[in-house]
Amino acid sequence: MKGRITTKEMTLCAMFTVLIAVGAFIKVPVPVVPFTLQFLFTMMAGLLLGGRLGAFCVALYAVLGLAGLPVFAEGGGFWYILKPSFGYIIGFAVGSYVTGKMTENSDNPGFGRILAANFVGLAIVYGFGMIYYYVICNFVINSPIGVWPLFLYCFILAVPGDICLCFLAAALTKQLKPVLSKAEILPKRCCN
C-alpha cells in the first residue's frame, strides 16, 4: 500500500506544514536582505520525511495559502499566484522532493551527502523562483525587470542566508535523523 498515508505520516506532514508557514514569518535580520526560516523547514521536511512526504508538506502549505489562509509572507489567497515570489514556493516543493530523494535511503547519511542534497535543493528553489519572477514581472504584471537586476536582487543578495541554512539543515539532520529513526518516529519507507 505504497500510496496510502499513515496516521503518523499525516501528523508529521501537518507538523512540517505548520513549521513552513511559521518559517515564513520568522525573519532573520541581516544587512541588505533579511531572510526567513522557511527554506530551512522545507528542506528539513524532505530530509526527515523523504521526498514524497516533504513535497506533500510544501504542496499542502501552498494549497492552504492559495485557499485564503494568511500563511504566505504577504497574506494568502488565489491572487498570490500572480506575485513574482510565488515561484519560490513552487521551488520549495520540488527542492524538498529532490533533497528528500537524495537522502531518504539511509538512516544515517553522511554530512557531505546531506549538504550536497541541500545545495541541489537550493539551486532548484532559486531556479524556479528566478524564472517565475522574471516571467511574471515581464509578461504578466507589466513591471519589467532585466536579467542583471533579477540576478542581483533575487540571487546574489538573497542567497547568503540560505547557504547558511543549508549547513544548519545538514547539521540538524545529521543529529536528528538517526535518533528519530531509532525511536521509530520517522516514516519507515523513507529510511530503508
Side-chain angles (χ1 to χ4, degrees), residues 28 30-35 153 157-158:
V28 179
V30 293
V32 185
V33 179
F35 65 96
Y153 294 112
L157 296 176

Side-chain angles (χ1 to χ4, degrees), residues 84-93 125-126 128-130 132-133 153-155:
S85 60
F86 187 74
Y88 291 96
I89 295 172
I90 297 168
F92 287 152
V125 168
Y126 276 87
F128 272 86
M130 291 171 61
Y132 196 89
Y133 200 101
Y153 294 112
C154 296
F155 182 74

Side-chain angles (χ1 to χ4, degrees), residues 7 12 15-16 43 52 55 107 124 144 149 157 167:
T7 304
L12 290 167
M15 181 184 75
F16 271 100
M43 291 299 104
R52 182 178 69 93
D107 283 343
I124 290 169
L157 296 176
F167 283 94

Side-chain angles (χ1 to χ4, degrees), residues 106-126:
S106 174
D107 283 343
N108 192 9
F111 182 83
R113 180 175 175 187
I114 299 167
L115 188 59
N118 286 344
F119 281 123
V120 169
L122 181 72
I124 290 169
V125 168
Y126 276 87

Side-chain angles (χ1 to χ4, degrees), residues 74-147:
E74 296 178 30
F78 193 73
W79 66 271
Y80 212 88
I81 205 162
L82 296 176
K83 297 240 351 134
S85 60
F86 187 74
Y88 291 96
I89 295 172
I90 297 168
F92 287 152
V94 178
S96 185
Y97 178 81
V98 172
T99 301
K101 281 294 181 187
M102 290 178 70
T103 59
E104 71 184 9
N105 292 325
S106 174
D107 283 343
N108 192 9
F111 182 83
R113 180 175 175 187
I114 299 167
L115 188 59
N118 286 344
F119 281 123
V120 169
L122 181 72
I124 290 169
V125 168
Y126 276 87
F128 272 86
M130 291 171 61
I131 290 169
Y132 196 89
Y133 200 101
Y134 184 83
V135 169
I136 292 295
C137 282
N138 288 309
F139 303 109
V140 177
I141 63 173
N142 197 23
S143 180
I145 187 169
V147 174

